[in-house]
């Protein structure tokens, strides 16, 4: 099979376009701009601009108009940045396909397939395009996505036209096939009925529900306070213009429009940053659940190990083990030949590749050159072994070659008890060395056709194969980090019990693990299984249904479970786990679709990195929301102050816009970039029921905001007693308010560090320098000051307004931190007076 050439495929791709469905949920910048223009903050700014223009204040109207452009630009930048991150995730999550190009089977992006490509599909694959079958073996396809019929249907070449075709989006549930692509993209059956694949899940998450509740509460309070201030101002002081400006300013100061923006930006950019760590987040709730994971269930091959299989031992019926680099005797060559016939030469299974690598170097001629392949017998739960049927050219009869779990192949061969015990002891001895062990057998039959099943055939035992798959170097450190973070690691593998034990010890999962076989789980009721899970971290010879039951039992025990899987039958366990983790390299399409996270490098350490990143994202999101609550208190207080004191308005809509230029970057850039705290992975997992903000946090944030307002009020009162002009007093109060804003950012950035934000957060320092420079221009220079209704203040007064709130909040932060350390450390023990002589 040669397939298309790379150049011909490229020409067809240019002509026909990519093999992709439209993405109706993708937001381009015009659509984002339209949504930005509907923001309440922007509508209030436009209303204030119209109000200024209607009363003959074109300069103030122009200033607000410019601020409208600034708000639109900043919000558009944030939303487009988040959308670009989501698009990058869509590109990463697009499926791959196996296609023949330039005479070789290659893994290519499914979007690059063109009409005329020859593709290979197997159990667990999602069909990448409409295609006509060329060759198949026991192919059954789930077409429920197209037809609604849940029962898989058989497909084979040579049948009627409909039965000889497979369609994009359908799922191969059994068998394998080669097919020629006949339609791609919108030209497929899926495209014609308008279905869309590859779209990210948009389901509302618990965090989104909580943010919506917060927005509703704060919006209701904002509207009520706005109406109240307008009415009181109009009643007590008169002047509808000032009353309306006061109401609009207070509404702008208290509307919590930052909450949904922060959530969108944090989840999108957080998922993008995780993708850079080779962890693809397919569903947003996974980021929320990662920080709460208490149990991490993992398999062995390719996750804990390198998935770099090498055939290192061959053991025949009654001899010593041979290594492939030794001269092999006749029995070992027969074992190797049989193993090669039972392995897919064009497959991606690492053990099949390892067998063929040794066979091509050791056997005198191509193993399959004189053989005609007839049928595959895939692995099933009842018989964990893989077999193929072959007919020797120009000779009667068939050969059945089989390899699989030693105990299954021994049963298939019908070995006597003594022989069975001996070969299983040999397998256990090899497994204790950390080897992956497979048994090999063959059967000869005079039938003309391949049998439907293997159970009634007379198989002959050929021997054992030992495969070495080294432990990944970073796994022991990752397991230790997980344990330090309070995350229990549970190994669930289909390997031999001694292989599982050896890997668990080497990985640091347990020093003396108690290993339970999957078959033993079938004898346990729910209570017995719960008791077993409390003391067992290693399970061997587990099947997918065992994994599902273990995950459900862990969930029932109150654990938050992350589960890794790669096969089509792992999908139920992946969906049952709080966080399903699929293998991106060797996993099947259905496993990736069932999972909420895909590991692009199939590496266990990436799962632990994802947990760390999930905790970091939630911690930073919590900091940002607490800051949002706190920072609106002094802004609202300064907007209300003139009404309480009977003085001219201090805050105007333009002032609030300037403050938003500080708040929005702080939320979406500074907090999002804050690195993890050093002890983050030495803390226990966060309970899954922990809200983003509880009443204690809200009360603490309101109290902190009230403290900041008290400092602003202090600066305002001192400036008023100094007999400064009202615009100068307003300028100094505004200066104190902006500095308090920056101080609140720093306060929430570094709760467990020194009083100054860490030097690693460059975004904070850039924001600080830019804001202070602009603030100095607005309060010290005449022209900018006039735009804000200020009169320039003296340099000493400016520095005093900056230093007073900054030093006060920094000092309070330092005192609180010291008190926390003393409380954590506990009382100092009393030293006896006679101690030390």
């Amino acid at each position: 099979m040669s397939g298309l050439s790379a150049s011909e495929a490229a020409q067809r791709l240019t002509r026909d376009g990519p093999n992709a469905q439209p993405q109706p949920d993708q937001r381009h910048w015009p659509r984002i701009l339209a949504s930005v223009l509907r923001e309440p903050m922007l509508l209030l700014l436009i209303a204030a601009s119209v109000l200024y223009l209607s009363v003959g204040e074109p300069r103030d109207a122009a200033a607000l108009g410019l601020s409208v452009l600034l708000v639109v630009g900043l919000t558009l930048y944030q939303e487009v940045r988040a959308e670009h991150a989501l698009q990058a995730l869509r590109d990463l999550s697009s499926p791959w396909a196996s296609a023949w190009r330039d005479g070789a089977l290659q893994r290519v992006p499914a979007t690059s397939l063109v009409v005329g490509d020859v593709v290979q599909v197997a159990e667990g694959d999602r069909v990448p395009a409409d295609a006509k079958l060329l060759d198949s073996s026991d192919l059954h396809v789930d077409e429920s996505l197209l037809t609604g019929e849940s029962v898989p249907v058989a497909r084979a070449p040579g049948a009627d036209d409909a039965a000889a075709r497979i369609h994009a989006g359908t799922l191969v549930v059994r068998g394998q096939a080669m097919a020629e692509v006949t339609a791609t993209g919108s030209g497929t059956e899926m495209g014609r009925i308008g279905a869309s694949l590859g779209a990210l899940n948009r389901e509302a998450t618990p965090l989104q529900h909580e943010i919506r509740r917060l927005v509703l509460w704060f919006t209701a309070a904002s509207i009520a306070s706005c109406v109240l201030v307008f009415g009181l101002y109009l009643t007590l002081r008169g002047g509808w213009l000032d009353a309306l400006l006061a109401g609009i300013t207070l509404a702008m100061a208290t509307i919590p429009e930052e909450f949904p923006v922060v959530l969108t930006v944090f989840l999108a950019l957080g998922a993008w940053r995780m993708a850079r760590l080779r962890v693809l987040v397919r569903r947003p709730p996974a980021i929320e659940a990662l920080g709460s994971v208490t149990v991490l269930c993992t398999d062995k091959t390719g996750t804990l190990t390198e998935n770099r299989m090498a055939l290192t031992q061959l053991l025949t019926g009654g001899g010593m083990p041979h290594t492939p680099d030794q001269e092999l005797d006749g029995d070992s060559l027969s074992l190797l030949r049989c193993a090669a016939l039972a392995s897919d030469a064009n497959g991606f299974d690492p053990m099949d590749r390892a067998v063929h690598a040794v066979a091509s170097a050791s056997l005198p001629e191509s193993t399959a050159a004189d053989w005609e392949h007839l049928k595959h017998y895939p692995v099933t739960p009842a018989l964990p072994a893989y077999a193929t049927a072959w007919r020797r050219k120009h000779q009667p009869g068939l050969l059945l070659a089989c390899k699989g779990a030693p105990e299954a192949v021994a049963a298939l061969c019908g070995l006597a008890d003594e022989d069975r015990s001996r070969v299983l002891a040999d397998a256990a001895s090899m497994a204790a060395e950390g080897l992956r062990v497979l048994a090999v057998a063959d059967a000869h039959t005079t039938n003309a056709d391949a049998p439907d099943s293997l159970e009634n055939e007379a198989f002959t035992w050929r021997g054992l194969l030992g495969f070495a798959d080294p432990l990944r170097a970073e796994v022991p450190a990752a397991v230790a980090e997980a344990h330090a973070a309070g995350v229990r690691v549970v190994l669930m593998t289909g390997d031999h019990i001694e292989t599982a034990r050896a890997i668990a010890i080497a990985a640091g999962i347990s020093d003396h693990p108690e290993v339970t076989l999957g078959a033993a789980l079938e004898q346990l009721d729910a209570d017995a299984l719960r008791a077993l899970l409390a003391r067992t971290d290693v399970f061997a010879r587990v099947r997918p249904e065992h994994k599902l039951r273990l995950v459900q039992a862990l969930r029932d025990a109150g654990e938050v479970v992350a589960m890794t899987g790669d096969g089509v039958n792992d999908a139920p366990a992946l969906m049952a786990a709080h966080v399903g983790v699929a293998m991106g390299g060797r996993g099947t399409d259905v496993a990736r679709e069932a999972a909420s996270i895909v590991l692009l490098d199939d590496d266990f350490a990436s799962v632990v990195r994802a947990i760390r990143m999930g905790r970091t994202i939630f911690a930073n999101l919590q900091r940002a929301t607490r800051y949002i609550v706190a920072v609106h208190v002094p802004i609202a207080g300064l907007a209300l102050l003139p009404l309480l004191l009977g003085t001219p308005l201090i805050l105007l809509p333009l002032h609030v816009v300037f403050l938003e230029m500080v708040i929005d970057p702080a939320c979406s850039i500074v907090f999002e970039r804050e690195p993890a705290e050093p002890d983050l992975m030495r803390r226990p997992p966060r309970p899954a029921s922990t809200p983003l903000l509880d009443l204690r946090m809200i009360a603490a944030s309101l109290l902190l905001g009230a403290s900041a307002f008290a400092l602003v009020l202090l600066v305002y009162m001192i400036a008023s007693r100094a007999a400064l002009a009202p615009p100068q007093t307003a300028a100094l109060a505004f200066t104190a308010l902006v500095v308090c804003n920056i101080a609140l950012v720093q306060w929430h950035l570094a709760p467990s560090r020194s009083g100054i934000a860490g030097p690693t957060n460059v975004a904070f320092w850039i924001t600080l320098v830019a804001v202070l420079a602009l603030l100095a221009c607005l309060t010290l220079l005449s022209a900018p000051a006039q735009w804000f209704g200020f009169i320039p203040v003296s340099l000493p007064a400016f520095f005093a307004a900056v230093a007073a709130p900054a030093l006060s909040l920094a000092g309070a932060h330092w005192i609180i931190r010291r008190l926390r350390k003393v409380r954590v450390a506990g009382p100092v023990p009393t030293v006896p007076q006679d101690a030390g002589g």
Side-chain angles (χ1 to χ4, degrees):
M1 181 63 63
S2 60
L4 298 177
S5 66
S7 59
E8 187 177 3
Q11 291 176 357
R12 296 188 183 189
L13 184 64
T14 303
R15 182 192 67 192
D16 300 334
N19 177 36
Q21 305 293 334
Q23 295 181 351
D25 64 334
Q26 186 173 350
R27 301 169 68 218
H28 298 287
W29 74 264
R31 184 178 171 188
I32 297 174
L33 179 62
S35 67
V36 170
L37 294 176
R38 294 193 295 268
E39 288 291 329
M41 172 69 73
L42 197 64
L43 296 177
L44 288 171
L45 276 174
I46 294 173
S49 301
V50 172
L51 185 62
Y52 274 125
L53 198 59
S54 65
V55 297
E57 295 288 348
R59 188 183 67 179
D60 291 335
L64 280 181
L66 180 62
S67 68
V68 167
L69 294 178
L70 288 174
V71 170
V72 169
L74 181 61
T75 308
L76 188 63
Y77 166 75
Q78 293 171 338
E79 294 281 351
V80 169
R81 186 167 174 241
E83 184 60 32
H84 284 169
L86 288 174
Q87 184 57 43
L89 295 181
R90 291 189 189 103
D91 293 341
L92 282 173
S93 63
S94 61
W96 288 70
S98 300
W100 287 90
R101 295 271 178 89
D102 293 321
L105 187 62
Q106 303 176 19
R107 292 283 284 175
V108 299
T111 53
S112 70
L113 291 179
V114 296
V115 173
D117 263 326
V118 176
V119 296
Q120 182 168 304
V121 294
E123 179 181 341
D125 289 346
R126 186 71 70 180
V127 177
D130 284 7
K132 183 176 182 179
L133 291 173
L134 303 176
D135 180 39
S136 71
S137 174
D138 194 29
L139 182 69
H140 286 70
V141 181
D142 178 357
E143 296 185 341
S144 59
L145 195 63
L146 282 176
T147 65
E149 294 292 336
S150 59
V151 178
V153 294
R155 291 286 181 254
D160 62 85
D161 188 63
R165 293 183 180 273
I166 52 178
H167 297 286
T170 58
L171 178 67
V172 179
V173 296
R174 196 168 77 195
Q176 58 184 354
M178 282 198 301
E180 181 180 348
V181 174
T182 57
T184 61
S186 57
T188 62
E189 193 71 24
M190 180 73 73
R192 281 192 286 271
I193 64 174
S196 176
L197 298 178
L200 293 183
N201 196 316
R202 297 282 185 177
E203 64 186 30
T205 72
L207 268 182
Q208 288 172 330
H209 286 303
E210 187 175 353
I211 288 292
R212 287 172 186 170
R213 286 195 298 269
L214 287 172
V215 169
L216 287 176
W217 293 342
F218 279 92
T219 300
S222 174
I223 294 173
S225 60
C226 173
V227 173
L228 180 62
V229 165
F230 174 76
L232 289 176
Y233 201 107
L234 194 62
T235 302
L236 299 177
R237 302 178 60 178
W240 69 272
L241 176 60
D242 284 345
L244 197 53
L245 284 175
I248 290 176
T249 301
L250 184 61
M252 292 174 60
T254 53
I255 283 180
E257 43 90 25
E258 300 91 354
F259 280 127
V261 173
V262 164
L263 182 61
T264 300
V265 169
F266 270 58
L267 291 183
L269 293 184
W272 176 72
R273 292 185 191 282
M274 292 176 74
R276 295 176 68 185
L277 296 176
R278 311 295 293 164
V279 178
L280 175 61
V281 177
R282 299 186 67 253
R283 296 182 178 88
I287 295 180
E288 303 172 31
L290 276 171
S292 302
V293 168
T294 59
V295 177
L296 174 54
C297 301
T298 179
D299 59 357
K300 178 190 77 71
T301 303
T303 308
L304 296 180
T305 61
E306 295 181 4
N307 199 25
R308 185 170 49 83
M309 287 289 184
L311 179 57
T312 59
Q313 283 192 23
L314 298 92
L315 180 62
T316 56
M320 296 293 293
H322 285 80
T323 60
D325 55 353
Q326 296 175 331
E327 184 176 353
L328 301 180
D329 58 20
D331 288 342
S332 296
L333 288 174
S334 297
L335 168 61
L336 183 59
R337 182 178 291 107
C338 182
L341 290 172
S343 302
D344 187 355
N346 296 317
F348 295 98
D349 184 274
M351 286 184 289
D352 285 357
R353 290 185 171 186
V355 168
H356 279 283
V358 175
S360 62
S362 303
L363 296 177
E365 57 185 16
S366 175
T367 302
D370 297 329
W371 297 85
E372 178 188 357
H373 176 260
L374 299 179
K375 186 174 183 178
H376 292 277
Y377 298 87
V379 175
T380 65
L383 182 62
Y386 176 82
T388 55
W390 298 84
R391 176 185 290 118
R392 190 144 197 168
K393 296 177 181 178
H394 312 301
Q395 292 187 18
L398 305 178
L399 171 68
L400 302 175
C402 169
K403 73 177 192 305
E407 55 268 32
V409 176
L412 197 63
C413 293
L415 296 181
D417 291 344
E418 181 180 351
D419 292 335
R420 175 185 173 85
S421 298
R422 176 178 54 79
V423 298
L424 292 185
D426 290 338
S429 177
M430 294 170 68
E433 300 175 18
L435 298 180
R436 177 79 179 270
V437 183
L438 293 180
V440 178
D442 62 15
H444 294 268
T445 175
T446 58
N447 296 335
D449 298 321
D452 293 331
S453 64
L454 304 176
E455 283 75 6
N456 297 324
E457 303 302 321
F459 277 89
T460 301
W461 179 272
R462 288 297 180 187
L464 297 170
L465 304 177
F467 299 86
D469 186 11
L471 191 72
R472 291 180 184 266
E474 61 273 19
V475 163
V479 171
E481 184 177 12
H483 286 164
V487 179
R488 176 185 173 196
V489 180
V490 175
L491 175 61
M492 301 179 185
T493 178
D495 280 337
H496 191 278
I497 185 171
E498 294 302 329
T499 305
R501 191 190 312 275
I503 289 294
I505 293 173
I509 295 174
S510 177
D511 293 334
H512 303 285
E514 177 181 339
V515 186
T516 299
L517 289 171
L521 302 178
E522 300 170 2
Q523 314 301 322
L524 303 178
D525 59 19
D527 292 336
L529 180 59
R530 189 178 302 112
L532 176 69
L533 274 170
R535 66 176 188 273
T536 305
D537 291 331
V538 183
F539 296 87
R541 291 296 190 219
V542 294
R543 298 198 297 267
E545 60 268 26
H546 299 149
K547 294 181 180 180
L548 175 60
R549 191 178 178 205
L550 288 169
V551 169
Q552 290 174 332
L554 287 167
R555 287 192 60 144
D556 292 343
E559 305 287 358
V560 178
V561 184
M563 171 76 199
T564 68
D566 58 0
V568 60
N569 291 326
D570 288 333
L574 292 173
M575 297 187 71
H578 295 91
V579 181
V581 182
M583 304 297 107
R586 60 189 171 87
T588 59
D589 289 344
V590 69
R592 286 191 286 268
E593 291 169 8
S596 47
I597 285 178
V598 177
L599 297 185
L600 301 180
D601 56 4
D602 296 359
D603 186 356
F604 175 82
S606 295
V607 186
V608 180
R609 286 194 293 268
I611 292 174
R612 185 192 309 121
M613 183 67 77
R615 291 188 178 190
T616 302
I617 292 170
F618 187 88
N620 288 343
L621 184 58
Q622 199 169 53
R623 291 185 185 121
T625 51
R626 293 180 66 178
Y627 160 76
I628 291 171
V629 173
V631 79
H632 280 86
V633 175
I635 298 176
L638 199 57
L640 284 170
L641 191 61
L643 179 62
L644 301 176
L645 300 181
T647 59
L649 292 177
I650 300 174
L651 278 187
L652 298 175
L654 188 60
H655 302 150
V656 178
V657 171
F658 182 89
L659 291 168
E660 289 297 327
M661 296 299 104
V662 179
I663 295 172
D664 284 355
C667 292
S668 61
I669 299 176
V670 176
F671 283 109
E672 195 275 330
R673 291 172 179 265
E674 178 70 354
E677 293 187 68
D679 66 339
L680 184 69
M681 291 297 283
R682 294 194 295 273
R683 304 174 188 171
R686 168 180 55 85
S689 59
T690 301
L692 184 65
L693 290 180
D694 56 24
L695 290 178
R696 182 185 62 82
M697 293 179 182
I698 293 176
S701 297
L702 292 175
L703 181 60
L704 183 58
S707 302
F709 173 64
L711 293 172
V712 175
L713 180 61
L714 178 63
V715 171
Y716 178 83
M717 298 302 295
I718 293 174
S720 298
R721 288 183 176 274
L724 296 177
Q728 288 181 310
T729 301
L732 292 174
F734 183 73
T735 298
L737 178 60
V738 173
V739 171
C740 281
N741 194 333
I742 293 293
L744 288 175
V745 173
Q746 188 276 326
W747 183 296
H748 289 89
L749 274 181
S752 63
R753 297 191 185 128
S754 64
I756 304 297
T760 56
N761 197 325
V762 179
F764 171 79
W765 295 106
I766 294 175
T767 304
L768 174 64
V769 172
V771 168
L772 290 181
L774 286 173
L775 185 61
C777 292
L778 295 178
T779 54
L780 298 176
L781 302 179
S782 298
Q786 289 180 2
W787 283 90
F788 277 70
F790 298 150
I791 294 177
V793 299
S794 66
L795 195 59
F798 173 78
F799 281 127
V802 169
L807 293 176
S808 298
L809 284 174
H813 193 192
W814 183 85
I815 292 172
I816 291 174
R817 189 181 65 256
R818 296 297 299 175
L819 291 175
R820 284 176 179 166
K821 286 184 177 180
V822 170
R823 187 171 64 227
V824 171
V828 178
T830 303
V831 180
Q833 293 187 5
D834 59 348

